[in-house]
Amino acid sequence: MAAPFTRRQFLKLAATTGASAAAMTGLQTVLASGAAHASSGEIVTAAEEQIVPGVCLLCPSGCGVLARVADGRVVKMEGNPMHPINLGALCPKGQAAPELLYNPDRLTGPMRRIGERGSSQWESITWDEAVQLVAQKLNDLRAAGHPERAVLMYGETRGQLRAFLERFFQTVGSPNTISRESLNVAAAKLGTYLTQGIYDLPAYDLEHANYVLSFGASLLEAGRLPQRMVSGYSFLRRGRADRGKVVVIDPRQGVTGAKADEWIPIIPGTDAALALGMAHVLIRAGLFDSDFTHHYAFGFDDFADGEGKLHQGFKSIVLDHYDPARVEQITGVPATTISRLAGEFAGGKPAIAILPGKGGLLNGSLNGLYAAIAIHCLNALVGSIETRGGVMTQRYPTVPDWPPLPADPTAESGRNVERADGAGALFPLARHAYQAVADRILEGYPVEALFLYDANPVYEVPGGARFVEAFDKIPFVVSFSSFMDESAQYADLVLPEPTFLERYQDDYIEGLGYPGIALRQPVIAPRHDTLNVGDFFLRVAAAMGDPVAQAFPWRAYEDVLQYRLRDVGTDWETLKELGVWMTPGYRFTRRGSERWVNEVVGADRLNAPRDGRFDFYSRELHALLGGLSNEQQAALGLSQTSDVVSLPHHEPVTYAGDESEYPFLLNVITLMSLGPYSAAANLPTLQEITGMTVGETWDSWLEMNPEAADELGLRDKDPVWVESPFGKARTKVRLVKALRPEVVNLPYNQGHSAVGRWARDRGVNGMALLNPKSEPAAGLAAFTNTRVKVYRASHIADG
Amino acid sequence: MPRWVMVIDLDKCVGCQGCSIACRFENNTPVVKPSEALKGRAVRWNDVFPLPVNPTEETGDFPNVKTRYLTRPCMHCDNPPCIKVCPVQATFKNEEGIVEQNYARCIGCRFCTVACPYGVRYFNWHAPEWEGALQATPLLPAEYLNPDRIEGGGVLEGPAVRPKGVVEKCTFCLHRLQKARARAKAEGRDFRADEYVPACVQTCTGKARFFGDLDDPNSTVSLLAKSPRAFRLLEEVGTHPKVIYLREG
């Protein structure tokens, strides 16, 4: 295509192809009328252009995009100015999306394995064959009375897709739809649930906050919603008259700490102690919101239960155990700093303490969960729950219920079987324990069909190699990946889904509190023989026959979306045209009001009363863990007993690896450039800019404090081995002063052995070094409890 | 006649590199091979980097370390050293103050890359050498190349794919200005200065970038240029840059 058009040629073309005139945008008309020029050259552009809205999916922010489609090709991505998360902005990942769409390593159609598992021998099949194979397998499982042996592991299922996939597996008869959240947001969600009674991430009103305390997690680079946080941060900084203050608490400074007003390099795994130390100062000085703690909270003071038994409350545990002098010993943060932070937090209201989406909290022991609870309690303590400039509760658009599931005894019995990941049983606090699926299968949990949607567990979980062993025990593995990633390599069927620019999918707007919806649509026709996973399961349902088919009366996933989105406030055509629809403006609820009780505090509680009281003393934890014996509690990683179990407190982290042999803590960091998703590692532009902060490109590196390196005799850029009890990797050391000396950082999303030509054999995967053991109570993956040693690698082998 | 100026508020910039990559896709700058990137031959007209460039030279010692990040387009100097050394007038300042680069005239002598004190002129050491659909050579454009270009009458400018051996640089997205002007003319009205921003300004995640006419006393950039936080890079060398930074804090 694209032989250069001169204006003259263009005029000729326009004259002869009158039919396309209607599709021409204003600009082409312009060119035909002769343009004004600043230089002697003339502007030449495409013959036909469209701007089509969509939603990015290269990180979980869900930014609205506008794709510039010139002559049928996506040539540029812009942010959608109407989308409230990014307000027209777009990060480098979104900008690089054309490299995803036109990536030469994309899978071009459905394939069936013909050689040995993992031998990369495939044959093309048709979608009809794929549908038949999957329908047959699921029907066989149902006929054998074990539909629960079909398991779905999923990553990002945006909008209706999660409910749709859950519905499909429930209809088939499996409780096993397992989210990746135990690798990222589960600790923060559980922390909110166990206190505020809402199982979701809080939304933060950064725009009106005066003081922001960010605990870990790279707010501006790689949290759950980086672009949302950047937009809020930018407004807080310079979008209004009074500039808010941002304090980052993180062992590593990173870009977020560098851009903050203050960086507190805390000892890893001690966030709970710092938060409680601040609480101590706030309570001692009477700087807390006593209206909130007395009327809308539970367990702030000591209390007597229904049987007259006395219990310890938040106030007494904090006053007894967390005076700043002791907290300084635990956290390494000076007592004067703790007092000052507390004073600023209460004096600079509205103030927010932000929970990280991943990273520091996921440290393999209950410590992380108590840290999330303690941090969220700070918000409650100063009355920031549901106040302007404080913490909001995310609302979602109203969607109609799904039609009732058909009566089906096979499915009903399957749905009641214990889950494959052990959530709710082995892990009593967990909703999902993604990384534990491999262990459970290797221990004998029977799985006969595994479906991987946006899931690459072989690469993305600590010690992912055990998933390869687990796959050996599963006769039928299906991946929906658009690329031949590390997990798809071992699948029996690979059924590529279209990229986010080629499919229908809705997206909830998260992070601003108020409800909103955005829509992905095919901005160009799918480039390859791919099928939306929703459409695929609709066809499988139809092929399976009743009763499964009965539950899915839709012809296409687009129809499912139209059904579910009919009450969002706009019609389908408008949604397609604008790409986004919302009810802007968060409506804060009055404390104790009906909406407060129904929507803001306590609504999701399963065991504790839904009484609109914020739990400083977690009645939910008391119900789940309080009745256990001391031994059972200890087995879950609890060093404390009695009431302390239900109260936020500092639990020492148990590290994998002996300190004398493995002196460093390994911190696997997510970057703004490569982000959290495997496919992004195969975009050459993102590879090129991956190591901006240290001047690295196309590679991994290990960040180390120069003093620590000095003791080891290492200089900047020396080749090193990083070795944990679980594996070792060779990379180069980069000296970074803004880092605690006992911590080393390894960036995530390098070291792929598959995915594509640009991702493969480049750098190292830190996940292979991390402790594969799940946290025993909440089933969280362990990201920050692995010790490593670092030593010089031979220069000779230095490629 | 507008006088185009960019203002970058470093207090809002979060070093995300969105500007860098928006520029890449708007202006068709090639990805270079990893080995070339290691030599510092990556072509990103608006690069983002830490200051100091080597992290071990960060100011202060742990824990009192301060790292800064800088995003750096062409400064579009009012007194540009690069145009004076060009033996063939391939680079020149137009009447609105934008420093242009004509690939059709450039002979690749690289005098300008040396003369520029900001290091924002990039030489094409190789024709891009990618495989498959991502191939971006002048003969076979990648499928997602921006089709916009400025050409004719011995001129080849803007996002037009460059041949090996020429120098290229940030143009303040001159082609976007020309398109905006053409649109205004077609709609029979006067062009307004706020109808056009470069791609980096449009995409900025932190809303840190502003663009406009410095001759208009009421434009955002004019107001921001008067901020006590405003400074220009290497003001002392007399280049009079038209990119104005606002310092942090």
Side-chain angles (χ1 to χ4, degrees), chain A residues 274-284 314 318-319 342 378 381:
Chain A
L274 178 61
L276 296 173
M278 287 177 60
H280 179 101
V281 177
L282 293 174
I283 294 170
R284 283 284 286 271
F314 180 81
V318 165
L319 290 180
L378 275 184
L381 204 54

Side-chain angles (χ1 to χ4, degrees), chain B residues 66-88:
Chain B
K66 181 65 188 170
T67 314
R68 297 178 192 279
Y69 297 92
L70 190 71
T71 172
R72 179 192 58 186
C74 169
M75 301 293 135
H76 291 275
C77 308
D78 260 350
N79 181 23
C82 55
I83 69 174
K84 296 175 188 165
V85 298
C86 181
V88 293

